[in-house]
């Protein structure tokens, strides 16, 4: 007998209170932070879907392992356990701990990438892009065309366009492509998975030109479970077997353990090439720490090691993907279009389609994110023209391709009734969509402006 309801596969052992603040308090908070939700005090948020990064709940096994951690500066027992778990899942020989994902990226790109080179990816996450561009190289996104259309369904919308990869290498020249990255799952494209067939095809191109392939593996376990559900021939394989097969196609990976490491902080860089590992460790010592802790405490190493074991649990992954899809169904039922099919860690609301009366220059996705907070204290993040719009010299802007609000679901943190509540908030916002106003940006930083920009709400007349 199998039942329809997919339950949270855990019981709650320790709780943290959340408190709803009044609509008046929320309105005052919005005015104070200049309509930028990054500026809120987290206690002013009821359900925080800003990110799934480092915001999840740890298990009692993780907390227990942390208590028993070894804080030795060099050669800590906790490091050897961490190394063993990472090697067991990835099959990669060299394991370099880092305090989070972007530290692994910075070290890898500092060693491997030179100015003027091109690093292709299905889609670079902001931090990988920024770390590549910081070295005056080019981060190029080569996603399949289906991945760019929110409403278009495709089982592996995170796949790389293999023909475009080949054309890029041919045009740039092998010597100008130091490595190829594939992000699993593709966060910036909607948390969409990459198939093993696609990884194999990318690997074959890399082999033909002798170029190393690295995974940005932040959400590797969610990607593995999507493969189990959707790729021919994998229904009977375990998530761990599938994850191993994914990593077996790569020469290395960067990892933020704040996602599928189920920890609040941590990450690593792993690879097979010992000479590359030596260069990376030398940089690690300079900025992160000794190679057996790399910026993490011994107890962080334990939390990640245990988290990596837990994340591949099939029951957990089934619940994880189902609970994200459940939120997407609520939004769709309320008439709010979402990126389809829903991704593993987040639901992406399509503000451009929902709010056609707000032009991109007035930031419809920012307006939608603000309304979700105003109506129900729910915090998401704008992924649209505030984040990716490019200012023209004349003061106008080239808008982003999509205007999305990401609602990222922290791991093992909210229950189904929290998500039901978010669904009700979305429905109420959809009912009042005609009244939602656009925004004018009144203050912005020269880069990564979305974190600190301030806005003014436009009144109905100025539309
Ligand atoms: N790669 C991907 C695909 C990510 O989603 C992130 C972080 C990173 C790398 C960087 O890892 O934060 O540990 O340095 N994403 C978070 C998010 C911030 O909200 O999606 P980090």
């Amino acid at each position: 007998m199998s039942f329809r309801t997919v339950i949270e596969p855990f019981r709650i052992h320790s709780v943290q209170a959340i408190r709803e603040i009044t609509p008046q308090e929320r309105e005052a908070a919005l005015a104070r932070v200049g309509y930028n939700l990054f500026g809120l005090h987290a206690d002013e948020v009821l359900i925080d879907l800003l990110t799934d990064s480092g915001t999840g709940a740890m298990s009692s096994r993780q907390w227990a392992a942390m208590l028993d951690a070894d804080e030795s500066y060099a050669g800590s027992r906790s490091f050897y356990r961490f190394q063993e778990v990472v090697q067991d899942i990835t099959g990669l020989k060299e394991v370099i701990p880092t305090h989070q994902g972007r530290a692994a990226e910075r070290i890898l790109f500092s060693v491997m990438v030179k100015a003027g080179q091109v690093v292709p990816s299905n889609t670079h996450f902001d931090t990988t892009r920024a770390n590549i561009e910081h070295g005056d190289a080019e981060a190029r996104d080569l996603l399949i065309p289906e991945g760019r259309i929110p409403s278009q369904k495709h089982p592996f919308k995170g796949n790389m366009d293999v023909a475009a990869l080949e054309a890029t290498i041919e045009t740039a020249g092998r010597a100008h492509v130091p490595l190829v990255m594939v992000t699993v799952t593709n966060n910036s494209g909607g948390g969409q998975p990459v198939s093993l067939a696609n990884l194999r095809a990318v690997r074959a191109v890399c082999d033909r030109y002798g170029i190393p392939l690295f995974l940005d593996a932040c959400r590797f376990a969610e990607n593995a479970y999507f493969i189990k559900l959707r790729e021919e021939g994998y229904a009977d394989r375990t998530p761990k077997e599938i994850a191993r097969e994914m990593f077996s196609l790569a020469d290395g990976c960067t990892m933020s353990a704040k996602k599928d490491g189920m920890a609040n902080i941590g990450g690593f860089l792993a690879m097979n090439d010992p000479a590359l590992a030596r260069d990376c460790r030398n940089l690690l010592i300079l900025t992160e720490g000794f190679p057996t802790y790399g910026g993490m405490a011994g107890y962080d190493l334990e939390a990640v090691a245990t988290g990596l074991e837990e994340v591949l649990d099939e029951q957990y992954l089934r619940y994880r993907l189902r609970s994200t899809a459940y939120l997407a169904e609520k939004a769709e039922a309320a008439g709010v279009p979402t990126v389809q099919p829903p991704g593993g860690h987040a639901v992406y609301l399509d503000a451009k389609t929902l709010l056609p009366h707000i032009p991109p220059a007035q930031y419809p996705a920012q307006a939608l994110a603000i309304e979700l907070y105003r109506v129900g204290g729910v915090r998401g993040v704008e992924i649209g023209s505030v984040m990716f719009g490019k200012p023209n010299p004349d003061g106008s802007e080239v808008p982003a391709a999509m205007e999305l609000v990401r609602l990222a679901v922290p791991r093992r943190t909210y229950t189904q009734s929290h998500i039901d509540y978010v669904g009700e908030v979305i429905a109420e916002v959809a009912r009042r969509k005609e009244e939602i106003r656009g925004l004018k940006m009144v203050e912005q930083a020269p880069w990564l402006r979305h974190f600190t920009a301030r806005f003014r709400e436009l009144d109905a007349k100025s539309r």
Side-chain angles (χ1 to χ4, degrees):
M1 181 82 201
S2 85
F3 294 96
R4 237 188 93 248
T5 303
V6 176
I7 62 164
E8 288 88 3
F10 47 81
R11 58 185 176 195
I12 295 164
H13 179 62
S14 171
V15 299
Q16 258 182 337
I18 50 176
R19 188 183 69 90
E20 189 160 14
I21 67 171
T22 65
Q24 294 75 21
E25 285 172 310
R26 288 199 292 268
E27 207 54 60
L30 281 172
R32 188 191 79 237
V33 301
Y35 300 90
N36 186 332
L37 303 178
F38 280 104
L40 293 171
H41 191 304
D43 284 348
E44 293 169 327
V45 178
L46 185 65
I47 308 280
D48 203 349
L49 307 181
L50 184 69
T51 179
D52 65 320
S53 180
T55 52
M58 290 207 290
S59 67
S60 52
R61 284 187 60 225
Q62 283 176 295
W63 287 111
M66 287 173 76
L67 206 61
D68 199 29
D70 176 1
E71 299 298 341
S72 300
Y73 187 96
S76 148
R77 157 172 50 78
S78 299
F79 168 73
Y80 289 106
R81 173 167 180 241
F82 173 89
Q83 176 174 258
E84 200 175 303
V85 172
V86 173
Q87 286 171 337
D88 180 44
I89 293 170
T90 66
L92 296 164
K93 297 189 188 81
E94 307 281 349
V95 179
I96 302 172
T98 60
H99 80 275
Q100 63 184 85
R102 67 197 71 182
E105 293 157 14
R106 189 190 60 79
I107 290 170
L108 182 70
F109 301 144
S110 303
V111 172
M112 288 193 83
V113 183
K114 294 190 182 65
Q117 293 186 322
V118 182
V119 181
S121 172
N122 49 347
T123 310
H124 289 281
F125 180 67
D126 322 16
T127 57
T128 61
R129 169 172 293 280
N131 272 296
I132 289 166
E133 290 174 352
H134 185 67
D136 292 323
E138 184 193 333
R140 194 175 295 181
D141 295 340
L142 302 173
L143 191 63
I144 55 166
E146 292 89 337
R148 298 178 206 276
I149 307 164
S151 59
Q152 184 152 351
K153 290 207 178 194
H154 184 289
F156 293 101
K157 234 175 152 175
N159 281 355
M160 186 182 256
D161 183 334
V162 181
L165 172 64
E166 192 136 23
T168 295
I169 300 169
E170 281 295 328
T171 314
R174 154 65 190 101
H176 288 94
V177 184
L179 77 159
V180 172
M181 298 277 303
V182 175
T183 312
V184 293
T185 59
N186 181 18
N187 182 7
S188 308
Q192 301 292 331
V194 177
S195 69
L196 271 166
N198 187 252
L199 277 177
R200 265 185 232 110
V202 170
R203 173 82 239 179
V205 172
C206 289
D207 280 345
R208 210 170 312 134
Y209 293 92
I211 300 175
L213 172 62
F214 274 69
L215 298 182
D216 176 340
C218 296
R219 300 177 181 86
F220 74 95
E222 291 170 11
N223 199 88
Y225 201 67
F226 275 122
I227 288 172
K228 183 180 169 83
L229 295 179
R230 296 182 186 169
E231 192 158 356
E232 181 85 43
Y234 288 91
D236 297 327
R237 305 279 294 277
T238 66
K240 187 167 175 180
E241 286 168 343
I242 298 171
R244 280 184 172 155
E245 193 165 335
M246 286 162 50
F247 284 108
S248 76
L249 294 163
D251 298 289
C253 71
T254 58
M255 172 78 187
S256 167
K258 301 172 76 172
K259 285 84 169 175
D260 277 352
M262 307 271 247
N264 300 124
I265 195 73
F268 59 84
L269 178 58
M271 63 203 59
N272 280 325
D273 180 351
L276 175 63
R278 185 199 55 219
D279 292 349
C280 289
R281 284 199 183 96
N282 286 339
L283 255 189
L284 185 84
I285 292 173
L286 192 66
T287 60
E288 290 276 303
F290 191 72
T292 60
Y293 72 87
M296 283 197 270
Y299 54 70
D300 295 327
L301 292 162
E302 292 283 351
V304 174
T306 305
L308 287 170
E309 288 170 353
E310 292 181 350
V311 78
L312 287 164
D313 178 76
E314 196 149 342
Q315 235 189 310
Y316 161 74
L317 285 168
R318 177 163 173 258
Y319 139 80
R320 172 71 175 157
L321 267 50
R322 178 62 203 132
S323 55
T324 304
Y326 179 80
L327 174 56
E329 284 163 17
K330 296 260 164 201
E332 293 277 344
V336 177
T338 61
V339 172
Q340 284 293 320
H345 69 294
V347 172
Y348 295 68
L349 309 179
D350 181 356
K352 199 187 267 184
T353 308
L354 182 73
L355 306 173
H357 62 283
I358 305 180
Q362 294 179 9
Y363 310 116
Q366 183 71 12
L368 179 57
I370 287 166
E371 209 60 21
L372 290 167
Y373 176 72
R374 173 179 276 139
V375 166
V378 175
R379 174 160 71 170
V381 66
E382 194 258 15
I383 302 192
S385 291
V386 175
M387 199 178 266
F388 294 123
K390 295 253 174 352
N392 286 320
D394 68 358
S396 65
E397 271 182 23
V398 183
M402 297 191 264
E403 303 291 344
L404 305 174
V405 175
R406 183 184 79 171
L407 302 177
V409 187
R411 291 167 182 75
R412 304 189 291 203
T413 302
Y414 292 118
T415 63
Q416 187 169 339
S417 54
H418 288 119
I419 298 300
D420 286 337
Y421 170 87
V422 175
E424 281 183 47
V425 173
I426 294 172
E428 176 55 27
V429 167
R431 264 192 295 278
R432 52 165 92 174
K433 65 181 177 186
E434 308 290 342
E435 297 158 33
I436 300 178
R437 296 171 288 168
L439 298 147
K440 183 176 169 53
M441 198 183 287
V442 293
E443 227 180 271
Q444 60 174 295
W447 51 78
L448 296 173
R449 65 180 187 177
H450 54 282
F451 289 120
T452 53
R454 294 180 69 87
F455 303 86
R456 183 165 62 74
E457 287 196 300
L458 296 167
D459 54 38
K461 285 195 301 287
S462 57
R463 266 185 220 150

